[in-house]
Amino acid sequence: GCSVPKMPLYFLERVQALSHKKVHTFNFQGSYMWEYYRQVLPAPVWRALMEGNPGWNATAGNEGQTEARNWVVDFAKANFSDHDLLKITDADYTWRRLGPYDVSAPGKYHNTRAATIVTGDAEMGEEYHKYLVAFDEPYWEEMVGSNFTLCPGGDSAWSMRFYE
């Protein structure tokens, strides 16, 4: 099927070749700010901001899954130690680090949600797709180096992290 996520074989081969030595108990790497903003901005403002932005869910307020990732920050505050990893990939200037485990920084990480902006390819052509299929080695290294990867809900009923 066309609805089953697929990974290129070279992804599997590269992941298998990585060191699987565990250096973190917990890790979360992914977006959070988009969900925060769609909760706090009035629904018409959020929809207007998201109009024409592929990859950004236009759901606003308390519609559906807008609060699906809130628990990640609370969980990190309560359970992460200095050796764990929190990487908010869409952190902006409003983000305040939660502790030594938080390496979030604006514009620092691979952010598929912002692929059209990062690549300058608003038409979602070749550059956009090259960015999406790039093997993000630091992402995979941190995931295989962790005992647990947090897999919150997001734009859909499944999480790519769970599949990965």
Side-chain angles (χ1 to χ4, degrees):
C2 62
S3 64
V4 177
K6 297 170 183 72
M7 293 282 179
L9 178 59
Y10 76 92
F11 268 43
L12 175 61
E13 293 168 346
R14 288 186 69 180
V15 169
Q16 287 176 328
L18 295 172
S19 169
H20 289 242
K21 180 181 181 210
K22 303 305 179 199
V23 294
H24 307 299
T25 300
F26 300 110
N27 94 81
F28 174 74
Q29 303 175 82
S31 60
Y32 172 80
M33 299 305 291
W34 62 272
E35 184 165 286
Y36 169 75
Y37 285 129
R38 72 179 177 172
Q39 289 176 59
V40 299
L41 292 174
V45 173
W46 177 257
R47 285 192 195 96
L49 286 171
M50 295 305 101
E51 188 174 329
N53 286 307
W56 289 78
N57 188 317
T59 304
N62 291 322
E63 303 171 14
Q65 70 284 0
T66 62
E67 298 177 6
R69 292 186 179 207
N70 287 359
W71 68 270
V72 170
V73 170
D74 294 335
F75 185 91
K77 287 177 183 176
N79 298 289
F80 278 32
S81 73
D82 293 0
H83 301 289
D84 293 319
L85 176 74
L86 177 69
K87 185 188 295 181
I88 304 299
T89 56
D90 62 346
D92 64 14
Y93 69 93
T94 66
W95 182 257
R96 299 295 175 254
R97 290 182 60 209
L98 303 181
Y101 53 83
D102 185 351
V103 298
S104 309
K108 188 174 178 183
Y109 301 108
H110 189 86
N111 184 359
T112 56
R113 187 169 299 285
T116 55
I117 297 163
V118 172
T119 63
D121 187 356
E123 301 300 316
M124 298 189 330
E126 187 176 341
E127 291 304 311
Y128 170 81
H129 289 287
K130 275 198 248 179
Y131 183 80
L132 292 181
V133 300
F135 184 78
D136 185 4
E137 190 163 326
Y139 171 81
W140 291 97
E141 283 177 330
E142 300 295 0
M143 209 160 34
V144 301
S146 301
N147 288 311
F148 302 100
T149 295
L150 304 186
C151 299
D155 287 336
S156 60
W158 60 277
S159 170
M160 191 58 148
R161 268 174 226 80
F162 183 74
Y163 173 75
E164 292 166 345

